Amino acid sequence: QVQLMESGGGSVQTGGSLTLACAASGDTYNVNCLGWFRQYPGKGREGIARIHTGSQSTYYEYYWKGRFTISYDSANNTVYLQMNSLKPEDTAMYYCAAARYCGPWSLFDAWGQGTHVTVSS
C-alpha cells in the first residue's frame, strides 16, 4: 500500500505562487504515475496534471497548462505542483494521487489527505 503526504498549501494573494509537494512512501514499486487533483466543496475531484515517474512524461488538462507545472523528484519520491498566477477561483482542496499506470484519471486509486489553498483578492 502506498502512502501519500501533501504539504505546501496555504493562503496567498491573487497573482501569487505556491508549490505543493507530495511525498510517496510504502509500496511505491507499483506506482508509475503520480498526479494532482482539485476539489471544490460539494464537487468531485478533477484532474489537473499527472507525471510518469519513470519517463517523467507529463499530461495536463488543457485549462491548467501554462499556470501549473508538475514535476517529480525520483530521489525523494516526491511530486510537486508549481502554481503561478493564482486566482481566487483556484481556492480549493488539492489532492495528490497515485496510479499503477498513467492514463485516464479513473486509474488513480491511492490518495493523500489533501492540502488546502486559499487565494484572496
Side-chain angles (χ1 to χ4, degrees), residues 1-7 21-26 28 31 33-35 77-79 95-99 108-114:
Q1 189 174 356
V2 62
Q3 288 82 45
L4 302 168
M5 181 65 70
E6 299 102 334
S7 60
C22 173
S25 61
T28 58
V31 173
C33 198
L34 292 168
N77 271 340
T78 299
V79 62
Y95 292 91
C96 169
F108 287 86
D109 57 5
W111 298 88
Q113 83 289 351

Side-chain angles (χ1 to χ4, degrees), residues 30-115:
N30 267 333
V31 173
N32 294 291
C33 198
L34 292 168
W36 287 98
F37 292 71
R38 182 165 88 175
Q39 186 173 29
Y40 293 117
K43 302 289 187 181
R45 294 174 186 173
E46 52 180 346
I48 298 171
R50 57 184 181 250
I51 187 165
H52 190 278
T53 57
S55 67
Q56 306 242 359
S57 172
T58 60
Y59 173 84
Y60 296 85
E61 289 294 347
Y62 73 94
Y63 34 83
W64 303 113
K65 207 167 185 178
R67 290 198 301 129
F68 292 6
T69 303
I70 191 170
S71 60
Y72 176 67
D73 177 358
S74 58
N76 294 301
N77 271 340
T78 299
V79 62
Y80 299 93
L81 185 69
Q82 171 72 40
M83 305 187 295
N84 298 324
S85 302
L86 285 163
K87 308 172 183 180
E89 51 264 42
D90 293 318
T91 296
M93 188 70 80
Y94 288 76
Y95 292 91
C96 169
R100 187 160 188 168
Y101 306 106
C102 273
W105 299 116
S106 58
L107 292 177
F108 287 86
D109 57 5
W111 298 88
Q113 83 289 351
T115 187

